[in-house]
Amino acid sequence: MTTRAELTEKIVAHKTFNDIKWADVATAVGQSKEWVTAALMGQISLSKDQIEKAGNALGLNFSDEETALLMTVPYRGSLPSAVPTDPLIYRLYEVISVYGTTMKTLIEEEFGDGIMSAIDFTMDISREENPAGDRVKIVLDGKFLPYKMY
Amino acid sequence: MTTRAELTEKIVAHKTFNDIKWADVATAVGQSKEWVTAALMGQISLSKDQIEKAGNALGLNFSDEETALLMTVPYRGSLPSAVPTDPLIYRLYEVISVYGTTMKTLIEEEFGDGIMSAIDFTMDISREENPAGDRVKIVLDGKFLPYKMY
Amino acid sequence: MTTRAELTEKIVAHKTFNDIKWADVATAVGQSKEWVTAALMGQISLSKDQIEKAGNALGLNFSDEETALLMTVPYRGSLPSAVPTDPLIYRLYEVISVYGTTMKTLIEEEFGDGIMSAIDFTMDISREENPAGDRVKIVLDGKFLPYKMY
Amino acid sequence: MTTRAELTEKIVAHKTFNDIKWADVATAVGQSKEWVTAALMGQISLSKDQIEKAGNALGLNFSDEETALLMTVPYRGSLPSAVPTDPLIYRLYEVISVYGTTMKTLIEEEFGDGIMSAIDFTMDISREENPAGDRVKIVLDGKFLPYKMY
Amino acid sequence: MTTRAELTEKIVAHKTFNDIKWADVATAVGQSKEWVTAALMGQISLSKDQIEKAGNALGLNFSDEETALLMTVPYRGSLPSAVPTDPLIYRLYEVISVYGTTMKTLIEEEFGDGIMSAIDFTMDISREENPAGDRVKIVLDGKFLPYKMY
Amino acid sequence: MTTRAELTEKIVAHKTFNDIKWADVATAVGQSKEWVTAALMGQISLSKDQIEKAGNALGLNFSDEETALLMTVPYRGSLPSAVPTDPLIYRLYEVISVYGTTMKTLIEEEFGDGIMSAIDFTMDISREENPAGDRVKIVLDGKFLPYKMY
Amino acid sequence: MTTRAELTEKIVAHKTFNDIKWADVATAVGQSKEWVTAALMGQISLSKDQIEKAGNALGLNFSDEETALLMTVPYRGSLPSAVPTDPLIYRLYEVISVYGTTMKTLIEEEFGDGIMSAIDFTMDISREENPAGDRVKIVLDGKFLPYKMY
Amino acid sequence: MTTRAELTEKIVAHKTFNDIKWADVATAVGQSKEWVTAALMGQISLSKDQIEKAGNALGLNFSDEETALLMTVPYRGSLPSAVPTDPLIYRLYEVISVYGTTMKTLIEEEFGDGIMSAIDFTMDISREENPAGDRVKIVLDGKFLPYKMY
Amino acid sequence: MTTRAELTEKIVAHKTFNDIKWADVATAVGQSKEWVTAALMGQISLSKDQIEKAGNALGLNFSDEETALLMTVPYRGSLPSAVPTDPLIYRLYEVISVYGTTMKTLIEEEFGDGIMSAIDFTMDISREENPAGDRVKIVLDGKFLPYKMY
Amino acid sequence: MTTRAELTEKIVAHKTFNDIKWADVATAVGQSKEWVTAALMGQISLSKDQIEKAGNALGLNFSDEETALLMTVPYRGSLPSAVPTDPLIYRLYEVISVYGTTMKTLIEEEFGDGIMSAIDFTMDISREENPAGDRVKIVLDGKFLPYKMY
């Protein structure tokens, strides 16, 4: 029996070997590259129609068993340990570890007591050209949800 | 002996009771509100001059012992556990837990093998007005650092 | 050899692909949807008769080996880590992390020293319509068990 | 310097010794007993006015330092370890450990992919009379927040 | 401010230095030695009357602050780590680690699916004379609580 | 290659499906039900003769590879995590977590400094009839081993 | 209030500053240097008489509070984390980590199924002169305790 | 593909079933029983010649793949968790947990600041006859390595 | 499906059995031995051309599936636990555990507040002849990256 | 009572406030800056004479209690958690996490089976000028210690 993790590895290996771009798969599916990549990395469920379109763009013909896996809402969480070991992902964790209380106090000062939603949420990853070396720009954008008195 | 953590608590309690804004302290110090807040939350060291300006803006007269603490480069890390328990901070951790491998593959596709720096790095936290409920917008901006062959 | 976890995955994938509802399986088995779902998710043992009825409703013909797995009282615990990473399940964990001591003091004030049973216990999950957005309503209902002097 | 945890212990010891009810403090503050108790247990911030009313109801005269602590949005999380050791609180954790994937699949079947908010959220704790032994009834009620495509 | 843990240490040191027996304190309080010892070790709350009797038997005059601590239902859990390091206590943990699944299958075979209550529960610790060396006999006695279908 | 854990699962599934009792297997082997069950659950090694008798009683014909596994002294420890998640086993862990220091001080008061052996040790699990609900009675009986001066 | 850990630190600092040898304290107490050192490091309880003799040898006059601490059977475990960070102690841990299964299989081959007691146990630490560099010789000597059938 | 752990299990099962002694394998290889057992338990690499001799003594004909595994310097560490669950191995861990700081202070008093090597190290495990019950004697013998000033 | 870890094991076993040197593979690939070894140990991605050259030098003919694995940027992190158990690797961890704060304060005194990059980074491992025993010399060389005010 | 950690904080705060260099303290003590800094950061013991010289260089007059602390061989380990949170120290940990198995295989290929000593060990931290940005150069230099057959 194939697991969701094995299917992710198969998709990534196929994409790498054949030099396919996530953005092209996203165009075929008709959603943003961030959303489609997350889905194919095993964090979001897809409809049968989206799976077929993604399969065509990738040049993979998903079996019924694979399609069922991609349709199921996954048990989310893409990392093998609570503290990530991969340097690219660790740097993001470090930002939260170091600046987490700073972010908290600044958001609470601006909005009052509440949180930034991680569900009503989008992210955008882009390249920013810079003569001193190009920069990665990550925009996290989530609805503010206030705690309420009752 | 005062610890750095106790000094942070003292600053925050004083700020809250007297309704002082981080942005006003930042203006007095002459740096961004993100940088100054992080410094006063115990994650960045300040110069004697900056400490005096911050003290004036806060209405706190820092002792020599407190000044020495604020001058020392801290052992960074602002959270009491590897997985944060505070909901506002947890949501940021969740974004990395769920979308970390997505961010990794998209950055690597765009830039090649490397990371986003968490040192040559700035962040910006702002309010985005929205009729469906205002949104928190967090921009993380770091230099791309490529792994090199040697 | 099939494991209990693999059997759960097979049942969920089959249900998803064929768009079968848990409530319909529950009706076939003759118990509540919460109880039957928990059993098929690997947390409660079923009788041979119940397994046959569930298999019919799902359109799955369980083998003797699979039937033995579903009959065995499982080593309970449905999550792969002490702190859940899946956002839906994490929110429930967060409620306990944040409000656990509040629940404790309110229950003890009302009932005296003791606990709410998690065994003589039922739960009910329903949708509550609301113009500001529908709500999830989870009712946890357990017998109060007092500590006794002896 | 007093910490938030020490202030909580002081409030609880005072309440216990003088046999004051949370419900009476809540009435004085003008909010539900669940909300007011959580605030005094250190998980929600209070306004100066609410702090004065709570102090009167408790027969405690909070100092400026204590008032500042009660006004500050806390770093939430009321438990000393990821897995709670207290039996009353552990039983709630066990419910999530055992039935977490059941809750997930039933909510997703009913609402689609998303979560129950732990912020736009209320809880209600009550006693249910029962000849076989009274029962604890905990109602968790949170807005459903759907994941969105973008 | 005294903490519950410091009060426990004070009681134990006083008892040890003055060679007082737990059984004598228990007689004064009017409950079993197991129950009274657990209460004074910080795991069960006592009434004002019981506290006064225990104080007399110990030769300690508890202050109001100490009495309030002994009256409060404690956050239970007497060990500083999830796996105990003390050899006497570790041996009990080892019994569960090694024989836990054996106990589970034997209880389930005899009683059906359910648990032994740790609340409607008593324990008895006694010495059993034996020419090959005296033995410790620990009897754990708890009500069987069956899981129910609903 | 079969592992010891897979062999345990095979034995338990076979026993459950065919409704065989541990006590009957124990009678065939000629030892107590607690000892034989623990051995077949993978915590005690058996002799070739005992393995053959157990196989006959179970209706399983163990291969040479399986016999070798059952003959090998196992790396003991029957639980997948330091804190057990299964409710039946957790309750026993909770007893130690809550009452561990109580047991320690009572045993030390009675016997002096030392431990209860978990090796020169027997356990007995039985049903105690009770009109208020039958009770599980677990007797742990181990030799007292004193620490010695040298 | 003094804790046991603080008393240990006081004894060690005093011993170090005044260049007193553990062996001399042991002679005064009348037991081996290993036993007496372990007791003063907080892992074994002492009698009033032994405490007085040790105090004289150290040149410390223990108060009643300190004497009570030294008389109490400690919650054993001398290390601040499960895996020791101190290199001298870590090397011993490493020996077990690397050679643990080797020790297990050799002891079981020689003695049958059982353990080496850590209670009916002595240790001896000595210097072994060697032209290639002196060697530390640690002898662990414990009674073999066999598992028994019952 | 065979893993090193599976090969260890195969060797142990074969040895157990055929009642072969480690000492006899060691004689064939021409090294001590401690060294040869550790190598075959997967903690030391062997040469092709040693592997052939060990194979002959065991009656196992190692394949090229198995030989390659036995030739590779292993990632050392023979235990599945940081705190061992097996009682025989745990007792050794307990000795370090309880007496670690005692060993440290005694070695440092005798030798100065440094460690006992776990590399320039031998161990010897033997049976010591004793009318009160035979004893396990473990001798750990390692070169003292001093920290140096520079 | 082959995993990246299995491929690493295959390469290492093949290299060991056939006595191939990493330096020779590195020469064939045209990069340093440190970089090429890290890549083949699964921590750096290789191009198709480099994979072919490495395969020729090793005498391994990588399949398309294996080539895809070697081309994919890996989820970095080469150790199975946060604290390494292998003695060679542990010694490096110990250096950081013991001297980490020393390194931090010396680098910050020399360079100001910032870090040594682990990305714009090379390492060199060499043998240093020494009559008192040859020495391992590890040079870590990374760009200093200063924290900036903004 | 002062702890070793508090004394370290006092020394660092004093050094920072008065802008004293570690190198100058090292010159006064007569050892390398790496060794002296490590000692004053609490990881190496100093003699009375060295403590007096260091005190003079720092302008601190150590009390007898402080001197005793600095004379005692510390329980080594300078970090508050197994995985360091401070970015400067984390980068060193990351190097081991990512390249640990690479270092292991290269050292073993060059030297045979053994380790680099962390005791017969020196380190050197220096600045390397570079037009593309100065570099941190850390040299770790330890004696190779071979595992021996016996």
Side-chain angles (χ1 to χ4, degrees), chain E residues 32-143:
Chain E
S32 72
K33 74 178 188 302
E34 286 79 8
W35 190 90
V36 173
T37 305
L40 291 169
M41 296 302 279
Q43 301 299 313
I44 301 177
S45 63
L46 294 155
S47 68
K48 274 190 192 170
D49 178 57
Q50 290 171 324
I51 294 165
E52 201 183 324
K53 286 175 181 163
N56 288 343
L58 285 160
L60 282 168
N61 197 12
F62 293 118
S63 68
D64 279 6
E65 190 195 6
E66 291 170 334
T67 300
L69 280 174
L70 292 168
M71 288 174 70
T72 304
V73 179
Y75 183 89
R76 289 178 164 94
S78 67
L79 306 178
S81 57
V83 176
T85 60
D86 184 82
L88 187 149
I89 300 175
Y90 182 82
R91 293 306 180 277
L92 297 164
Y93 177 77
E94 182 178 304
V95 166
I96 293 170
S97 168
V98 174
Y99 299 115
T101 53
T102 299
M103 290 162 153
K104 176 174 165 69
T105 195
L106 285 171
I107 292 173
E108 288 165 355
E109 186 174 287
E110 176 64 33
F111 289 89
D113 194 357
I115 64 156
M116 178 184 79
S117 179
I119 307 295
D120 186 338
F121 169 84
T122 64
M123 68 177 174
D124 182 86
I125 296 172
S126 60
R127 176 193 281 257
E128 212 179 34
E129 304 223 341
N130 188 309
D134 286 3
R135 298 179 76 82
V136 182
K137 189 171 167 183
I138 299 176
V139 181
L140 309 177
D141 181 320
K143 189 175 176 183

Side-chain angles (χ1 to χ4, degrees), chain J residues 12-119:
Chain J
V12 171
H14 180 87
K15 168 203 174 307
T16 305
F17 195 75
N18 296 288
D19 201 15
I20 299 165
K21 298 295 170 204
W22 290 118
D24 296 335
V25 183
T27 303
V29 173
Q31 301 294 335
S32 71
K33 74 178 188 300
E34 285 81 7
W35 190 90
V36 173
T37 305
L40 292 169
M41 295 302 279
Q43 300 300 314
I44 301 178
S45 63
L46 294 156
S47 68
K48 275 192 192 170
D49 179 57
Q50 290 171 326
I51 293 165
E52 201 183 325
K53 285 175 180 162
N56 288 343
L58 284 162
L60 282 169
N61 197 13
F62 293 118
S63 69
D64 279 7
E65 190 195 9
E66 291 170 334
T67 300
L69 280 174
L70 292 169
M71 288 173 70
T72 304
V73 179
Y75 184 88
R76 288 178 166 94
S78 66
L79 306 178
S81 57
V83 176
T85 59
D86 183 82
L88 187 150
I89 300 175
Y90 182 83
R91 294 306 179 279
L92 298 164
Y93 176 77
E94 182 178 303
V95 166
I96 293 170
S97 169
V98 173
Y99 299 115
T101 53
T102 298
M103 289 161 154
K104 177 175 165 66
T105 196
L106 285 172
I107 292 173
E108 287 165 357
E109 185 175 287
E110 175 66 33
F111 289 89
D113 193 358
I115 63 155
M116 178 184 78
S117 179
I119 308 296

Side-chain angles (χ1 to χ4, degrees), chain G:
Chain G
M1 227 172 98
T2 310
T3 65
R4 191 68 188 79
E6 287 168 348
L7 183 51
T8 298
E9 283 175 44
K10 176 181 166 180
I11 292 171
V12 171
H14 181 87
K15 168 204 173 306
T16 305
F17 195 75
N18 296 289
D19 202 15
I20 298 165
K21 298 295 171 205
W22 290 119
D24 295 336
V25 183
T27 303
V29 173
Q31 300 293 338
S32 72
K33 73 178 190 302
E34 286 80 8
W35 190 90
V36 173
T37 305
L40 292 169
M41 296 302 279
Q43 301 300 313
I44 301 178
S45 63
L46 294 155
S47 68
K48 274 191 191 169
D49 179 58
Q50 290 171 326
I51 293 165
E52 200 182 327
K53 285 175 181 162
N56 288 342
L58 284 161
L60 283 168
N61 197 14
F62 293 118
S63 68
D64 278 6
E65 191 196 6
E66 291 170 335
T67 300
L69 280 174
L70 292 168
M71 289 173 70
T72 304
V73 179
Y75 184 88
R76 288 178 166 93
S78 66
L79 306 178
S81 57
V83 176
T85 60
D86 184 82
L88 187 149
I89 299 174
Y90 182 82
R91 294 307 180 278
L92 298 164
Y93 176 79
E94 181 178 304
V95 166
I96 293 170
S97 168
V98 174
Y99 299 116
T101 53
T102 298
M103 290 161 153
K104 177 174 166 67
T105 195
L106 285 171
I107 291 173
E108 287 165 356
E109 185 175 287
E110 176 65 33
F111 289 88
D113 194 357
I115 64 155
M116 179 184 79
S117 179
I119 308 295
D120 187 338
F121 170 83
T122 64
M123 68 176 174
D124 183 85
I125 297 172
S126 60
R127 174 193 282 259
E128 213 179 34
E129 304 223 340
N130 189 309
D134 285 4
R135 298 180 76 83
V136 182
K137 188 171 168 181
I138 299 176
V139 182
L140 309 177
D141 181 320
K143 189 176 175 181
F144 179 74
L145 303 179
Y147 276 100
K148 291 179 189 160
M149 276 184 260
Y150 60 97

Side-chain angles (χ1 to χ4, degrees), chain F:
Chain F
M1 227 173 97
T2 311
T3 66
R4 191 67 187 79
E6 287 167 348
L7 182 50
T8 298
E9 282 175 45
K10 176 181 165 179
I11 293 171
V12 171
H14 180 87
K15 168 203 174 306
T16 305
F17 195 75
N18 296 289
D19 202 15
I20 298 164
K21 298 295 170 204
W22 291 117
D24 295 336
V25 183
T27 303
V29 174
Q31 302 293 336
S32 72
K33 74 177 188 300
E34 285 80 8
W35 189 90
V36 173
T37 305
L40 291 169
M41 296 302 279
Q43 301 299 315
I44 301 178
S45 63
L46 294 155
S47 68
K48 275 190 193 171
D49 179 58
Q50 291 171 325
I51 293 164
E52 201 183 325
K53 286 175 180 161
N56 289 341
L58 284 160
L60 282 169
N61 196 14
F62 293 118
S63 68
D64 280 6
E65 190 195 8
E66 291 170 335
T67 301
L69 281 174
L70 291 169
M71 289 174 69
T72 305
V73 179
Y75 184 88
R76 289 178 165 93
S78 66
L79 306 178
S81 58
V83 176
T85 60
D86 183 82
L88 188 150
I89 300 175
Y90 182 82
R91 295 304 182 276
L92 297 163
Y93 177 78
E94 181 178 303
V95 166
I96 293 171
S97 169
V98 173
Y99 299 115
T101 53
T102 298
M103 289 163 153
K104 178 175 165 68
T105 195
L106 285 172
I107 291 173
E108 287 165 355
E109 185 176 285
E110 176 64 31
F111 289 89
D113 193 358
I115 64 156
M116 178 184 77
S117 179
I119 308 294
D120 187 338
F121 168 84
T122 64
M123 66 176 177
D124 183 85
I125 296 172
S126 59
R127 176 193 281 258
E128 215 178 33
E129 304 222 341
N130 189 310
D134 285 4
R135 299 179 76 83
V136 182
K137 188 171 170 182
I138 299 175
V139 181
L140 309 177
D141 181 320
K143 190 177 176 181
F144 178 74
L145 303 179
Y147 276 100
K148 290 180 190 161
M149 277 184 258
Y150 59 96

Side-chain angles (χ1 to χ4, degrees), chain A residues 15 20-23 33-34 37-38 41 43-44 76-79 82-83 86-89 91-111 114-116 118-123 125-128 132-144 147, chain B residues 15 20-23 33-34 37-38 41 43-44 76-79 82-83 86-89 91-111 114-116 118-123 125-128 132-144 147:
Chain A
K15 169 204 174 306
I20 298 164
K21 299 296 170 203
W22 292 118
K33 74 179 188 302
E34 287 79 8
T37 305
M41 296 302 279
Q43 302 300 314
I44 300 178
R76 289 179 165 95
S78 67
L79 307 177
V83 176
D86 183 82
L88 187 150
I89 300 176
R91 294 305 180 277
L92 298 165
Y93 177 77
E94 182 179 303
V95 166
I96 293 171
S97 168
V98 173
Y99 299 114
T101 53
T102 298
M103 289 162 154
K104 178 176 164 67
T105 195
L106 285 171
I107 292 173
E108 288 165 356
E109 187 175 284
E110 176 64 32
F111 289 87
I115 64 156
M116 177 184 79
I119 307 296
D120 186 340
F121 169 82
T122 64
M123 68 178 173
I125 296 174
S126 60
R127 176 193 281 256
E128 213 179 36
D134 285 3
R135 299 179 76 84
V136 182
K137 187 170 170 182
I138 299 176
V139 181
L140 309 177
D141 180 320
K143 190 176 175 183
F144 179 74
Y147 276 100
Chain B
K15 168 201 174 308
I20 299 165
K21 298 296 171 204
W22 290 117
K33 74 178 189 300
E34 285 80 7
T37 305
M41 296 302 279
Q43 300 300 314
I44 301 178
R76 289 179 165 94
S78 67
L79 306 178
V83 176
D86 184 82
L88 187 151
I89 300 175
R91 293 307 180 276
L92 297 164
Y93 176 78
E94 183 178 302
V95 165
I96 294 170
S97 168
V98 174
Y99 299 114
T101 53
T102 299
M103 289 160 154
K104 178 175 165 67
T105 196
L106 285 172
I107 292 173
E108 288 164 356
E109 186 175 287
E110 175 66 32
F111 289 89
I115 63 156
M116 178 184 79
I119 307 296
D120 186 337
F121 169 82
T122 63
M123 67 178 173
I125 296 173
S126 59
R127 174 193 282 259
E128 213 178 35
D134 285 3
R135 299 180 76 84
V136 182
K137 187 171 170 183
I138 300 177
V139 181
L140 309 177
D141 180 322
K143 189 176 176 183
F144 179 75
Y147 276 101

